[in-house]
Amino acid sequence: MNSAPLYFKTMTDIQIRKNADAIEEQLDHFLDPVLSFRRSALGPAQQIATLSASEQYLCLHWIEIITSINAEFAYQYAAYFSTAVKELKHDQEALKSWTIDAMSAYDERGLQLAIKVLQQSQEYAEHYFNKQDGIVLEDIQKLLTAFVCGLNGRSLKIAAADTSYTDTDSIFLPSLISDYSTKKENFFYYKLLTVYQWSQNWFGSWRYELNEPLNDYHDPVKALRLFHCLESIRLLYKIRAELPGFFRQATPYLNDFRTLENDPKWHSICKILADKKASVDHTFSLLNQYYTLLEPIIFSFQGELLANKVALVKQHRISEEKHRFREALAQIVDEKKQAEEKASTDEHNTVEKTEAVFELKPLFAEDEEESNEVLFFELSLDGQPIVPPDDVYSLMSSIIQDIGEIPEDYLVAAGPGQYVTEQADTQSKKSDNAWSGVYHEEGAFFYDEWDYTRQHYKKNWCVVREMRVTPIYDDFVQDTVTKNIGIVKALRRNFEALKGEDRLLKRQVNGDDIDIDAVVESYAELSMGLEFSERVFTKMQREERNIAVMFMVDMSGSTQGWINQAERESLVLLCESLEMLGDRYAIYGFSGTTRKRCEIYHIKHLDEDYNDKVKARISGVSAKDYTRMGFAIRHLSYLLEEVDARTKLLITLSDGKPEDYDGQYRGEYGIEDTRQALFEVRQKGIHPYCITIDKEAGDYLPYMYGAANYVLIEDINKLPLKVSDIYRKLTT
Amino acid sequence: MDLLAQEILPEEYFITDEPYFEPVGDEIAIFTAAYKNKLPILLKGPTGCGKTRFMEYMAWSLKRPLITVSCHDDLTASDLVGRYLITNGETVWVDGPLAKSVRAGAICYLDEVVEARKDTTVVIHPLADDRRVLPMEKRGLVLEATDDFCLAMSYNPGYQSVLKDLKQSTRQRFVALEFDYPNFATEQKILEKEAGIEQELAKNLVKFAQMTRNLKGSGLDEGASTRLLVHAALLIKEGIHPVAACKGAIAQALTDDPEMLSAVNELSASLF
Ligand SMILES: Nc1ncnc2c1ncn2[C@@H]1O[C@H](COP(=O)(O)OP(=O)(O)OP(=O)(O)O)[C@@H](O)[C@H]1O
Ligand SMILES: [Mg+2]
């Protein structure tokens, strides 16, 4: 099988400008299924003929690819291409990006919307060229998220929206900023928006529900605008005090603010809001005072105040955090009790069971007396100050951010009853239930997939979930061991030999013990007038096996029957041998139907014991759906990446090549994606290896894994023995 | 080996000038009480929070020599107890730092003890319970500790993988002192005194440290330690711009991830 990607094949063509006839001929060939007596390729061909050789080449190249997806789409592409070339100013990068955009639209939303992208090349061009000096949120999302996380307070997520606002859980920002002429300025503007929205959260703009007080005004919209303006002024003063460096950098963006500060009408307002102690209460009272007197200014960066969104998020969070906080207190009580009981067993007296009393004492800032700003609260239990764990600490700070204090009724430890309800609640959120009922992506992992036809990744393409294998408690494991006792014994011997042992190194310059032989020799040499050798020590050298192995087991439908049986038996034999070796190993199954249902089945975690539960899960491994492989490799290597081990192996047990229900994953596409995923794996320092029973594996496995990294097994009984070979190779 | 050439006598491990140590809690009282009662001490806490400095201070205040051993994963029991070496054709026994400490009635501080090889517990355990003896297996004798001797070790619970956790039988022999980054005011004071910088600057540096500590677990493995703050403060005092100093002395020490680096740098640029 020739697996070289299409991309390489076409690169070798020579680029000569073609005339309309030649182009029409090629288009006829590509677009045949959608051409008819009334619809010919002549029109598009004539237009394409006017383009440069490289543009023609690009066009035909993409048409060939698109045809394989959808011929109608390809025809439309041909028809709109020449216009797009002009709109996009003959910029080939722009053309490529426009093409990929249209293809993604096709993938995600279908033909009609893809054609719309093709038609709107003018809008696309505008957007594209703006982006050249603009900043795209996606590119700096991680940076901004870390940035706000570093600033004080609850860590806020960053997400894209049409305007900038916050719901007190996330900060929403436009997906592109290109208002300024340089990237630097556009980036700073993002930072300005972010800091401003953060300040609403940190300096208590949302302490109270906003709709109610504003609805008391004759014109609530007007009241909202003035409130927004006053509150922004207050926040700018806070930012100036808290982040002086930032405020200085922001100077060029704050002209409105400066004008306003110098305006006598606003003078007394600014004075009040600039005060260290100014809170949102001051803003409300100024609003009341000046409602009829002042026309608000709208700051360019202020975005919107969306009280309804905040209310929704806040309500949910407040009740959840109260619950979590009380539970954390219960845990603190528990721990204390346990410690006391432990201590009291020596003295044979029992601890009195009294109600635990929690108290909070506000801690004030030390140095400046005029400020009564509460820095934090000290938590005490039965009169003793305690240091809450980090997560409780941030919980407290989040609660204080929302309501300004920790109310009395929070300070009662949760009773045992509440534990139960909580658990029941989280259980129902578990991923096994995710498919039943309404489809939602909560709790899922997302992985990119490699599309070789376009040589780029489809973002967050696969929706991956960890599922549980239904355990079957039977004698499968025991029976397998009994049946294969010969193999098991041989394996144990093999693995025993691999086990790292301390080696005694002789004739060392220094060491733990004297190498008597060497000393005797040296003395002899010395008496002969030779130089006394200093290499007279022995040293123990530890050869620590620091290996983590991940087994990825094919649970696709094609394994139904004896293959599944063999796979399960192999797992048993592997576990028995690996237990002997003491290496850490994990087992996961994989299967799925389409990119939206990629499933990873947990059988054994890396640090889980090989216990009855694991055995029952192995027995419960069953054939499921299809063999989409890229996501499984990506997910498991993600898990493996987190592990601290010197050698990491990802071993796949499979019966065939990648394939999925939607047909697209079959053949080259699936092979290329799998190959790409394996490439990513190697970059993470993980060794991939494949064990297969597909007799045709020689056609594609060497291409994906490399010739030395797979093995074809005709007799499944040899499988565990082969694995010990791999071990020897990789670990010695 | 030039082990012999480097040998310093325990007398020379005395700390004569009072080291600057800013107490954060009641650690001095507890250490003193434990020392009086011949109990070994375990210092827990993140890197650069003043454990070593504290030990220096205690050694000075108790007027005992301080012998520090930085443990690494090749450190064996013999490295601690001692070994035979050959000098001028003769085999001679050379005490390791632990034996030296026991003989001299010094404070022996085993830094990052979980890094050491498992067999070191063999010599640590009998020293750390009420026997207070050091078995010297190779010489067939047992060294008894005097009342002056003190065993202390440090341990950072955050770093090690589960594999490298301290064994219960070891940790339950020690009086534990928990260290953490000092509170705002104390840390500010440490910077002012240790690096000799202005109050305003010290304040902003601590603020910046707290920002990086907010990022612990969200992109950074660890926030800036007091040690890094001292470094930045020293650079600034030499005339380096605060943003550049934070970048060099703190941000680069915390991460290699380019995006996290920019985020941390943006944070310091917001403050200075
Ligand atoms: N409480 C303190 N008083 C005075 N200086 C301190 C204090 N805490 C930290 N420092 C400063 O921080 C620096 C680093 O502290 P130290 O070397 O003691 O850290 P450590 O806890 O031993 O770290 P590691 O675990 O990495 O060895 C000291 O040199 C000192 O400048
Ligand atoms: Mg230290």
Side-chain angles (χ1 to χ4, degrees), chain B residues 55-73:
Chain B
M55 288 307 299
E56 285 164 1
Y57 177 81
M58 289 316 299
W60 171 83
S61 121
L62 297 168
K63 304 196 172 45
R64 299 311 314 156
L66 175 67
I67 297 181
T68 303
V69 184
S70 301
C71 302
H72 49 83
D73 56 359

Side-chain angles (χ1 to χ4, degrees), chain A residues 215-494:
Chain A
N215 281 337
D216 287 347
Y217 287 90
H218 174 68
D219 180 356
V221 177
K222 183 182 165 197
L224 175 69
R225 273 197 284 133
L226 185 57
F227 174 84
H228 201 167
C229 172
L230 293 167
E231 185 64 359
S232 299
I233 296 171
R234 182 179 79 91
L235 295 174
L236 284 172
Y237 283 120
K238 294 277 182 208
I239 294 170
R240 187 171 76 182
E242 184 82 8
L243 305 171
F246 171 81
F247 195 82
R248 216 176 33 247
Q249 287 174 284
T251 312
Y253 303 82
L254 298 177
N255 291 330
D256 288 353
F257 175 60
R258 228 158 298 107
T259 324
L260 185 144
E261 245 189 332
N262 294 328
D263 184 341
K265 266 196 299 192
W266 289 84
H267 191 75
S268 59
I269 295 178
C270 287
K271 204 161 161 243
I272 293 171
L273 292 174
D275 191 283
K276 251 190 123 166
K277 281 181 264 178
S279 74
V280 71
D281 296 309
H282 296 87
T283 311
F284 274 115
S285 78
L286 285 173
L287 170 66
N288 201 16
Q289 206 177 328
Y290 289 93
Y291 171 66
T292 49
L293 306 174
L294 276 177
E295 210 28 63
I297 279 186
I298 297 171
F299 296 105
S300 66
F301 54 82
Q302 72 180 24
E304 279 182 84
L305 295 175
L306 299 179
N308 292 340
K309 300 218 177 201
V310 170
L312 220 63
V313 168
K314 215 174 135 177
Q315 197 179 17
H316 179 76
R317 182 177 54 231
I318 287 178
S319 72
E320 193 190 292
E321 287 188 341
K322 177 176 181 182
H323 187 83
R324 272 171 48 210
F325 182 66
R326 293 187 52 212
E327 223 169 54
L329 293 187
Q331 206 178 338
I332 293 174
V333 175
D334 263 7
E335 276 163 19
K336 192 181 167 222
K337 270 202 193 119
Q338 273 173 14
E340 282 169 352
E341 269 159 29
K342 223 182 200 168
S344 67
T345 42
D346 305 332
E347 294 132 45
H348 301 288
N349 52 5
T350 47
V351 186
E352 276 177 70
K353 293 241 182 314
T354 48
E355 197 62 38
V357 181
F358 282 99
E359 277 166 327
L360 275 181
K361 203 174 77 192
L363 296 174
F364 295 101
E366 259 179 33
D367 45 347
E368 290 130 284
E369 271 147 38
E370 82 276 14
S371 126
N372 52 2
E373 181 191 3
V374 177
L375 272 190
F376 209 67
F377 290 86
E378 184 181 77
L379 184 65
S380 65
L381 168 58
D382 299 336
Q384 294 265 355
I386 51 172
V387 184
D390 276 356
D391 53 332
V392 179
Y393 196 82
S394 55
L395 197 57
M396 286 168 73
S397 117
S398 175
I399 293 168
I400 292 167
Q401 227 175 300
D402 271 340
I403 24 194
E405 57 164 1
I406 297 188
E408 281 289 313
D409 59 334
Y410 277 55
L411 292 172
V412 184
Q418 256 132 336
Y419 270 120
V420 180
T421 48
E422 224 287 311
Q423 267 166 9
D425 199 47
T426 42
Q427 280 292 318
S428 67
K429 274 188 169 172
K430 282 276 156 65
S431 48
D432 278 346
N433 297 332
W435 302 126
S436 49
V438 196
Y439 171 75
H440 58 103
E441 299 188 340
E442 192 183 331
F445 298 86
F446 294 86
Y447 290 96
D448 297 351
E449 189 167 281
W450 176 252
D451 182 345
Y452 83 102
T453 55
R454 303 175 205 176
Q455 295 289 306
H456 85 132
Y457 283 101
K458 288 176 173 160
K459 276 245 175 294
N460 295 333
W461 191 245
C462 293
V463 184
V464 178
R465 272 168 210 292
E466 278 193 26
M467 314 285 279
R468 273 176 300 182
V469 172
T470 317
I472 299 176
Y473 288 91
D474 58 8
D475 295 330
F476 176 76
V477 170
Q478 195 44 49
D479 291 349
T480 308
V481 173
T482 324
K483 201 172 84 187
N484 297 294
I485 193 69
I487 300 185
V488 172
K489 276 191 179 152
L491 274 173
R492 285 195 180 154
R493 256 197 318 277
N494 261 339

Side-chain angles (χ1 to χ4, degrees), chain A residues 503-515 518 533-541, chain B residues 1 84-86:
Chain A
R503 259 194 306 158
L504 191 64
L505 302 180
K506 296 200 149 203
R507 294 180 194 277
Q508 298 295 304
V509 194
N510 60 58
D512 312 322
D513 244 316
I514 291 191
D515 186 349
S533 161
E534 291 201 332
R535 300 188 153 269
V536 290
F537 294 93
T538 60
K539 193 169 166 180
M540 288 294 254
Q541 181 164 319
Chain B
M1 280 298 285
Y84 284 106
L85 286 175
I86 301 232

